[in-house]
Amino acid sequence: RIGVEAPDLFACAMGAAMGKSLGVAFGLDVAINVGAWGVAALKKTEKFYDLIGSTSHLGVILFTLGAHAESAPTGINRAYVNSALACTWAIRLGTFLFRRISQDGRDVRFDKVRDRPMVFLTYWLIQAVWVFLTDLPVLMTNIRQGEQGNDIEARDYMGWMMWATGFTIQVLADAQKRKFRADPKNAGKWIDQGLWKYAQHPNYFGEMMMWSGLFTSSSAGFKSPWDYASIVSPLFVIFLLTRVSGIPLLRKAGQKRWGTNPDYQAYLRNTRLLVPLPK
């Protein structure tokens, strides 16, 4: 009877350990965002909103990686690689967005809420949820690093190639857009050069590729069917960018500025939405 119950008890213990570690990580995530909201509400500014988002990513990833490092095998493993890739993305995105808002002076998303503290708070709480759900496969891999060992599978390499492709596309697309906007001759125009000639939102495609790649690699080490629930990460990113805060807002702004311009309408008709390939 003990031989039958021991594995069950071990499985229950591992489930409890996973839940506890994820709960602490989420608590840390919320604490970072709520603390930053307190300062931002007092100063009535959103200038470090995106920077705090990146800080939250780094915080929860490094916490789960370090908290379970003692159980990890020596040498390079999946948890280290996926954490390094996710942190690279977070640092680049945070600095890019902070530089952009420093130049622009404000983020129009907050025009109606920065003077309303409790409404303003909801934006920071939403960011905390975004951070946690997006990082979920990486966090679960970090927590299970002791069980996974150093085995690297074909799925890992596939996921890392997806991440590298997406990262390259996003960095290149952002650089092209920044250069386009810096040229006074392009004032009041939409970008249709470089990758943007072939896709309306190539940077978002890169984002989707990166998180799909991290889920793909993480899934190579999943030990429980429940681990696959972390597919919510790429699905959540895709949903946000295509249905909530990404494409819909930009499409609305574009129609407001150039909706009567036949060349802009032709660009929308003849250019792919996400994948930067000739149509």
Side-chain angles (χ1 to χ4, degrees):
R1 186 172 179 80
I2 294 176
V4 173
E5 291 182 352
D8 295 336
L9 292 172
F10 178 76
C12 290
M14 288 307 299
M18 172 69 77
K20 180 179 179 180
S21 294
L22 289 176
V24 174
F26 183 63
L28 173 63
D29 177 24
V30 172
I32 292 171
N33 279 276
V34 172
W37 159 78
V39 177
L42 287 174
K43 293 183 174 294
K44 298 183 179 180
T45 181
E46 73 283 4
K47 286 189 176 181
F48 51 87
Y49 178 80
D50 293 309
L51 196 60
I52 292 299
S54 292
T55 301
S56 299
H57 280 289
L58 295 174
V60 297
I61 291 169
L62 295 178
F63 163 73
T64 53
L65 186 67
H68 298 271
E70 291 185 1
S71 65
T74 57
I76 300 299
N77 61 49
R78 179 181 298 112
Y80 291 161
V81 175
N82 287 357
S83 292
L85 296 180
C87 287
T88 299
W89 165 85
I91 292 170
R92 193 208 76 86
L93 183 65
T95 53
F96 171 79
L97 294 176
F98 183 70
R99 187 184 303 117
R100 186 176 70 181
I101 196 172
S102 296
Q103 293 172 347
D104 295 344
R106 67 188 180 96
D107 187 331
V108 295
R109 293 177 298 173
F110 299 93
D111 283 350
K112 296 181 179 180
V113 301
R114 68 172 66 87
D115 294 326
R116 303 164 63 193
M118 298 314 296
V119 179
F120 197 22
L121 174 61
T122 62
Y123 282 71
W124 296 85
L125 294 177
I126 290 171
Q127 176 164 259
V129 173
W130 165 67
V131 168
F132 182 75
L133 292 181
T134 302
D135 288 337
L136 195 54
V138 178
L139 303 183
M140 295 176 77
T141 296
N142 288 348
I143 293 168
R144 291 197 186 278
Q145 57 186 302
E147 300 174 68
Q148 296 183 9
N150 287 334
D151 294 336
I152 302 299
E153 302 181 8
R155 221 183 315 173
D156 289 299
Y157 293 111
M158 182 185 302
W160 296 337
M161 288 179 64
M162 291 169 64
W163 186 93
T165 301
F167 185 77
T168 301
I169 289 173
Q170 187 176 70
V171 170
L172 182 58
D174 286 341
Q176 290 172 343
K177 193 169 189 177
R178 185 168 60 251
K179 182 179 179 181
F180 179 86
R181 286 181 168 178
D183 189 341
K185 294 185 297 184
N186 296 322
K189 298 180 181 179
W190 66 90
I191 181 171
D192 58 358
Q193 302 173 6
L195 293 176
W196 304 83
K197 177 180 179 180
Y198 302 105
Q200 299 171 41
H201 306 281
N203 53 336
Y204 290 163
F205 177 70
E207 183 97 348
M208 297 173 192
M209 282 282 289
M210 281 187 278
W211 288 106
S212 296
L214 287 175
F215 170 78
T216 299
S217 171
S218 296
S219 69
F222 286 167
K223 300 298 182 181
S224 164
W226 286 106
D227 292 350
Y228 287 92
S230 64
I231 197 174
V232 69
S233 167
L235 294 180
F236 185 62
V237 170
I238 292 170
F239 175 74
L240 280 182
L241 294 179
T242 60
R243 295 289 184 266
V244 184
S245 64
I247 293 174
L249 294 181
L250 291 177
R251 178 61 61 88
K252 183 178 179 180
Q255 291 291 358
K256 185 177 180 180
R257 296 184 67 182
W258 306 298
T260 59
N261 189 319
D263 292 335
Y264 178 69
Q265 297 302 324
Y267 172 75
L268 296 182
R269 288 195 306 271
N270 300 324
T271 309
R272 293 181 184 275
L273 186 65
L274 289 167
V275 185
L277 291 173
K279 193 170 183 179

